[in-house]
Amino acid sequence: MSGGEVIIRGALLYGEGEPTDVLVRDGEIAEIGSGLTAGDATVIDAAGQVLLPGFVDMHTHLREPGREDTETIESGSAAAALGGYTAVFAMANTSPVADSVVITDHVWRRGQEVGLVDVHPVGAVTVGLEGKQLAEMATMAAGVGRVKMFSDDGHCVHDPLLMRRALEYSSALGVLIAQHAEEPRLTVGAVAHEGPTAARLGLGGWPRSAEESIVARDAILARDAGARVHICHASTAGTVELLKWAKGQGISITAEVTPHHLLLDDSRLETYDGVNRVNPPLRERSDVEALRKALSDGTVDCVGTDHAPHADQDKCCEFSQARPGMLGLETALAIVAQTMVEPGLLDWRGVAKVMSERPAEIVGLPDQGRPIAVGEPANLTLVDPAREWTVRGPELASVANNTPFEAMTFGAKVTATLLRGRPTVLGGQVQR
Ligand code: DOR
Ligand code: ZN
Ligand code: ZN
């Protein structure tokens, strides 16, 4: 299906007001009203459903190139579209690493070829993610893939001098550095949150201070470089306090939280199931509560999935041997609905903000996170706020199955996604 007109019938825009029709033509929102008609338009019956701007994920791991046995740009794009995403940022820790324009341009082109979601390449900050030498950021930024964000995610840019230089270059180039905040000297041998649970289970502890010391340091480095810095997957109450402080000082710092850190805590470790290993680790209930509140009051800016596919053999093994990471794209909206909308911490307009508008703004995507209004690009997501569904790993579009939400039942689901007016998902099915 391409190019045709689409009528979304009877949706609640941002979950508000009266049921409304939205007519999409030539990739844009052409009309908003009631009783709209158009010859042979595809009609989407959206009664009782919530229409939102298409979601933007600043933090996705697709495993192409290198680990296509766990995810490809194609399978990851399908997962993203099913999750309501119209743009995702694919992290640089592929094999080979996306530290050159050859790789970043390939990722962008392949994503466009697949055509389900805009796959924006993230460039590595340092060559080979080794933390020794800056990668050619300017060349990647000038390529076809127009790299807008750089990150060594998976690793922390822990050398303060290198981080300082990266921030200086980034502000000159007008790009964003996203930091995986983990002081590696404090996480040697760490596999789980340092606390009573890990101690009892005999698992090496990953202290909150490993994250917080880098967040504090990078806020100060960003301040002095006059640069922006983005904190990946904020996971502790202390990080929330530091963000509050830094923002209060006028420092250009932003942060994301993952759906899994909004829902799960370290009580999940009891079973020693490797599916619960993730970096940063699942924290304590008090951290989960602090993160939810921070997302609701804007201290944490947005949701980033940290979608991280891994093969069964890398997850179904001894906990300390399991690779860190969890699938996230297809379950993100359901978890945000359960943890934020149901308890009244966010309304649907708030969901539009944290899943679409803020990430688009932070990373600088002019055609994403736009208002639902005539003349705007038709990047849209339709959510059924009362659809019960149960997560089954093998049914997800990802090649890998490592979802920690297996067999959990949620109450909201994405039913349709439009990318520049083309339905990429209809009735919960990918439209290739
Ligand atoms: O859990 C994680 N998985 N955290 C990271 O920082 C990297 C990611 C991955 O690439 O699997
Ligand atoms: Zn990370
Ligand atoms: Zn990551």
Side-chain angles (χ1 to χ4, degrees):
M1 188 174 311
S2 67
E5 296 178 333
V6 178
I7 294 180
I8 302 165
R9 196 171 291 296
L12 300 176
L13 276 49
Y14 302 98
E16 298 166 355
E18 297 300 314
T20 303
D21 297 349
V22 174
L23 171 66
V24 169
R25 182 191 303 135
D26 297 332
E28 288 185 353
I29 296 173
E31 275 184 72
I32 296 180
S34 62
L36 299 186
T37 51
D40 57 355
T42 302
V43 177
I44 302 175
D45 176 11
Q49 302 197 43
V50 174
L51 189 65
L52 299 174
F55 302 152
V56 176
D57 190 7
M58 292 180 67
H59 195 144
T60 304
H61 296 270
L62 307 182
R63 301 301 192 192
E64 183 178 345
R67 284 305 300 269
E68 292 85 352
D69 60 315
T70 63
E71 196 79 293
T72 63
I73 290 170
E74 183 168 17
S75 64
S77 291
L82 287 164
Y85 289 91
T86 48
V88 300
F89 284 76
M91 281 296 177
N93 64 338
T94 47
S95 177
V97 170
D99 59 3
S100 74
V101 70
V102 177
I103 308 288
T104 56
D105 279 359
H106 166 77
V107 169
W108 169 254
R109 285 203 180 97
R110 182 67 194 128
Q112 290 302 292
E113 230 168 73
V114 172
L116 292 171
V117 61
D118 288 341
V119 179
H120 293 278
V122 176
V125 175
T126 70
V127 175
L129 307 179
E130 285 176 351
K132 296 195 177 118
Q133 191 189 337
L134 288 183
E136 290 194 13
M137 291 163 53
T139 317
M140 290 186 264
V144 180
R146 295 266 155 216
V147 177
K148 295 164 185 62
M149 176 160 72
F150 291 85
S151 181
D152 273 6
D153 183 60
H155 300 265
C156 181
V157 181
H158 63 90
D159 178 334
L161 182 59
L162 207 58
M163 186 59 178
R164 181 182 187 187
R165 294 271 175 271
L167 288 168
E168 287 166 356
Y169 278 115
S170 74
S171 74
L173 287 170
V175 297
L176 180 69
I177 303 279
Q179 176 71 294
H180 169 114
E182 173 183 357
E183 169 48 61
R185 292 282 291 150
L186 293 175
T187 60
V188 175
V191 298
H193 167 66
E194 182 182 88
T197 307
R200 184 159 38 78
L201 298 175
L203 298 171
W206 205 121
R208 293 186 181 96
S209 56
E211 173 170 309
E212 294 160 7
S213 56
I214 295 291
V215 173
R217 183 201 78 174
D218 286 0
I220 291 164
L221 290 176
R223 177 192 68 194
D224 289 1
R228 302 188 300 144
V229 68
H230 180 76
I231 303 300
C232 296
H233 41 53
S235 75
T236 77
T239 290
V240 169
E241 290 308 310
L242 288 164
L243 289 167
K244 246 182 239 163
W245 168 80
K247 288 182 172 193
Q249 301 289 304
I251 297 171
S252 297
I253 192 166
T254 54
E256 73 199 19
V257 60
T258 69
H260 48 271
H261 288 110
L262 287 173
L263 182 60
L264 307 176
D265 61 37
D266 68 350
S267 64
R268 292 281 299 225
L269 303 178
E270 301 289 345
T271 59
Y272 290 99
D273 187 340
V275 82
N276 296 309
R277 182 162 179 204
V278 67
N279 205 358
L282 300 178
R283 302 286 184 184
E284 295 178 34
R285 204 27 49 178
S286 51
D287 298 290
V288 170
E289 297 302 333
L291 291 165
R292 289 183 185 184
K293 180 160 184 308
L295 185 63
S296 113
D297 69 20
T299 304
V300 166
D301 298 81
C302 63
V303 173
T305 66
D306 202 2
H307 177 84
H310 287 295
D312 286 352
Q313 71 266 23
D314 294 324
K315 284 305 251 182
C316 307
C317 55
E318 201 183 312
F319 190 86
S320 60
Q321 297 302 310
R323 298 233 177 135
M326 306 173 157
L327 298 185
L329 285 166
E330 285 185 67
T331 42
L333 179 276
I335 293 167
V336 170
Q338 177 171 315
T339 59
M340 302 298 295
V341 181
E342 272 177 37
L345 288 165
L346 283 180
D347 54 16
W348 288 106
R349 205 168 267 274
V351 173
K353 187 167 163 201
V354 302
M355 295 190 72
S356 175
E357 294 162 10
R358 280 300 283 146
E361 229 165 63
I362 291 167
V363 87
L365 294 181
D367 61 338
Q368 298 283 346
R370 298 293 307 163
I372 302 176
V374 171
E376 294 288 352
N379 295 315
L380 297 166
T381 296
L382 191 61
V383 173
D384 187 338
R387 169 77 67 90
E388 277 214 349
W389 67 292
T390 302
V391 180
R392 306 277 177 215
E395 291 172 13
L396 300 176
S398 286
V399 179
N401 295 319
N402 57 306
T403 174
F405 311 112
E406 180 69 30
M408 290 178 73
T409 296
F410 292 101
K413 197 171 199 295
V414 170
T415 61
T417 309
L418 275 75
L419 175 64
R420 287 182 284 278
R422 184 183 94 82
T424 53
V425 170
L426 278 181
Q429 301 296 315
V430 179
Q431 308 294 301
R432 289 178 199 276

